[in-house]
Amino acid sequence: MLVVQKYGGTSMGDCERIANVANRVMEAKRAGQSVVVVVSAMSGQTDTLINYTKFFSKFPNEREVDMVLSSGERVTSALLAIALQAQGQKAISLSGRGAGIFTDDMHTKARIEYIDTSKIKQLLAQDYIIVISGFQGITQQGEVTTLGRGGSDLSAVAIAGALKADLCEIYTDVDGVYTTDPRIDKNAKKIHRISYDEMLELASMGAKVLLNRSVELAKKWNVPLVTRSSFTHDEGTLITTEENIMEKPIVSGIALDKNQARVSITNVYDRPGIAAEIFGTLADAHINVDMIVQTLGRDGKTDIDFTIPQTETDMTKKVLEKFLDSVESIDYDCDIAKVSIVGVGMKSHSGVASTAFKALAKENINIMMISTSEIKISMIIASKYAELAVRTLHSVYELDR
Ligand code: ADP
Ligand code: ASP
Ligand code: MG
């Protein structure tokens, strides 16, 4: 049996914790499994490295940023290999380059194009435990890239998919996927099984226990995915196909994203092509726009509101500057939060949205924007109400029962 185990930043947080990870990896090895490990940098390290690069410039060269950021995962992968070797185990660390992880050249948010698994397979055949630096890859031209924040989850699933591993285990600091972030609501309950689609929505809406792109890939390649704690031996959460799930609650979970910013453009000339111009400009700068609301035009003018990742605010300001002459104002609000309700059961039930609106109104929480999909309702509210909104919704849908 071949298993890919991924250990996140908290699990790799210091040398003691890395020694603990080495013990867990050895348990799997002793149980007869072939093990490929993917690791994150020590927790907080990537943030520290990003801050270093911003010391010199608001927009540091992204090739250089990737050179800096990729160092965090190089350190932890080599340390874990040393820890395993100290137990008498054959182990080797591989960087993204060494592991043959080829990406496009979109520095700081590269996409994996393919993985050349020949070296990994060769080492596995020689009974090595392979420890791969997550979050990084290499372009055809040999340039180092990183995959975007939380990208080690994606590295793990991609490697598991490419190796056709029997299981991909994501080890983190919670023992599974909960009905909401257990740090926000202590009444959150562990979900034992969740469908790829629901997990994808939860992750995309802010549940950072898994990176959304890793769930998307796991679904596409049918990778059996489990999230577990590296600190306990509790059973985790299995992310699987909808058919494998007996119970289908109407609402499965509540997600919170406090890393969004709202952009409000007022008095835009309401003519064909204006939205294409604005959003085309943002797309060219690779800025991910999420919710979009356009008000009904009046006197040939309209307002457009949308949300972006907070980290892209400076870049958005820069690229939208050219529209400043043709609109009344462009305002940015970072004090917002997106709260989302996710559940496959919503497809066949009505009234889910109105329950949410009523519950928030009762708490005097104003909703600024709303968007829905078949299995999700998202609302933008003031960030000071974020946690209250999560707990209110969690309880109104009885997720604490
Ligand atoms: P890692 O460093 O291991 O990748 P992350 O910090 O990225 O770990 O993700 C784990 C965190 O995700 C948990 O500590 C928890 O606070 C948060 N989280 C958010 N939503 C959920 C949820 N629905 N279930 C479990 N954890 C969640
Ligand atoms: N170290 C990277 C980050 O903090 C990647 C990861 O942890 O998944 O975003
Ligand atoms: Mg993570």
Side-chain angles (χ1 to χ4, degrees):
M1 167 155 169
L2 173 62
V3 28
V4 174
Q5 298 190 333
K6 178 256 169 177
Y7 292 90
T10 318
S11 309
M12 298 295 287
D14 57 32
C15 291
E16 262 93 49
R17 289 188 172 178
I18 293 176
N20 168 57
V21 167
N23 291 338
R24 296 199 74 121
V25 174
M26 287 307 293
E27 275 170 32
K29 181 73 184 162
R30 284 195 203 101
Q33 300 175 355
S34 294
V35 193
V36 175
V37 187
V38 175
V39 294
S40 290
M42 293 186 188
S43 55
Q45 183 63 18
T46 307
D47 291 322
T48 303
L49 294 172
I50 289 176
N51 287 336
Y52 288 159
T53 65
K54 293 230 165 107
F55 180 85
F56 308 96
S57 157
K58 223 176 186 178
F59 303 108
N61 176 285
E62 292 187 324
R63 176 198 182 270
E64 306 306 336
V65 172
D66 276 349
M67 289 295 278
V68 175
L69 295 195
S70 58
S71 68
E73 272 75 9
R74 281 185 94 108
V75 171
T76 46
S77 57
L79 287 177
L80 180 56
I82 293 171
L84 289 164
Q85 289 159 5
Q87 300 205 24
Q89 171 63 44
K90 270 166 87 174
I92 184 168
S93 66
L94 297 177
S95 66
R97 179 194 305 267
I101 301 170
F102 287 91
T103 72
D104 61 15
D105 57 7
M106 270 300 301
H107 282 289
T108 75
K109 38 186 151 181
R111 300 191 74 87
I112 297 178
E113 286 180 337
Y114 69 97
I115 301 181
D116 174 359
T117 54
S118 51
K119 185 160 176 186
I120 303 178
K121 283 183 177 151
Q122 206 182 331
L123 289 163
L124 278 175
Q126 294 168 34
D127 210 33
Y128 275 94
I129 289 180
I130 301 152
V131 188
I132 300 174
S133 314
F135 179 52
Q136 56 182 264
I138 190 161
T139 67
Q140 289 293 348
Q141 287 71 37
E143 296 287 343
V144 174
T145 51
T146 62
L147 309 177
R149 298 309 305 271
S152 298
D153 293 341
L154 181 64
S155 308
V157 171
I159 290 164
L163 291 172
K164 298 197 172 55
D166 299 288
L167 183 63
C168 180
E169 293 177 310
I170 306 287
Y171 284 91
T172 179
D173 55 4
V174 277
D175 64 352
V177 178
Y178 278 69
T179 46
T180 193
D181 188 339
R183 286 178 212 282
I184 297 175
D185 192 336
K186 58 177 182 353
N187 297 319
K189 293 275 178 293
K190 183 154 82 181
I191 304 172
H192 294 278
R193 281 176 178 228
I194 187 167
S195 68
Y196 288 116
D197 290 334
E198 281 175 302
M199 190 61 235
L200 182 58
E201 287 285 11
L202 279 176
S204 302
M205 294 306 120
K208 72 168 184 163
V209 61
L210 276 174
L211 180 71
N212 55 357
R213 288 156 63 202
S214 71
V215 182
E216 203 172 25
L217 198 64
K219 181 185 176 189
K220 192 164 138 196
W221 287 356
N222 238 312
V223 178
L225 193 59
V226 167
T227 58
R228 304 181 58 179
S229 164
S230 65
F231 301 101
T232 69
H233 279 84
D234 295 342
E235 194 191 328
T237 299
L238 175 70
I239 295 101
T240 182
T241 53
E242 211 176 306
E243 298 84 72
N244 283 337
I245 296 170
M246 306 292 271
E247 262 181 90
K248 293 196 177 71
I250 301 173
V251 172
S252 299
I254 313 290
L256 173 64
D257 185 351
K258 290 180 92 172
N259 298 313
Q260 297 265 316
R262 179 165 73 139
V263 185
S264 309
I265 309 184
T266 47
N267 278 338
V268 183
Y269 277 107
D270 202 3
R271 56 169 170 79
I274 183 68
E277 262 175 57
I278 293 174
F279 294 109
T281 301
L282 293 165
D284 289 344
H286 303 283
I287 295 163
N288 225 336
V289 173
D290 185 31
M291 283 191 198
I292 303 174
V293 175
Q294 180 172 349
T295 53
L296 219 55
R298 40 163 172 37
D299 307 328
K301 292 190 174 171
T302 181
D303 298 337
I304 301 178
D305 277 34
F306 55 91
T307 59
I308 52 165
Q310 231 174 69
T311 47
E312 305 278 14
T313 311
D314 284 335
M315 185 54 87
T316 305
K317 280 183 185 165
K318 190 172 150 186
V319 300
L320 290 187
E321 234 166 45
K322 66 176 183 197
F323 294 103
L324 276 173
D325 290 340
S326 49
V327 304
E328 188 177 297
S329 62
I330 307 182
D331 293 309
Y332 296 84
D333 182 1
C334 288
D335 290 325
I336 59 153
K338 181 168 70 181
V339 197
S340 307
I341 307 157
V342 174
V344 279
M346 272 186 224
K347 283 186 209 172
S348 47
H349 281 80
S350 55
V352 179
S354 66
T355 303
F357 302 155
K358 268 185 223 150
L360 294 187
K362 217 170 140 199
E363 295 295 335
N364 250 318
I365 300 173
N366 186 42
I367 304 169
M368 303 176 195
M369 294 166 102
I370 301 168
S371 82
T372 59
S373 79
E374 215 181 11
I375 64 165
K376 175 210 77 186
I377 301 160
S378 291
M379 292 160 287
I380 298 288
I381 59 171
S383 66
K384 63 179 174 188
Y385 297 123
E387 286 78 12
L388 173 64
V390 168
R391 288 193 282 264
T392 303
L393 295 171
H394 192 263
S395 129
V396 81
Y397 294 111
E398 299 184 345
L399 294 174
D400 43 2
R401 298 280 167 85

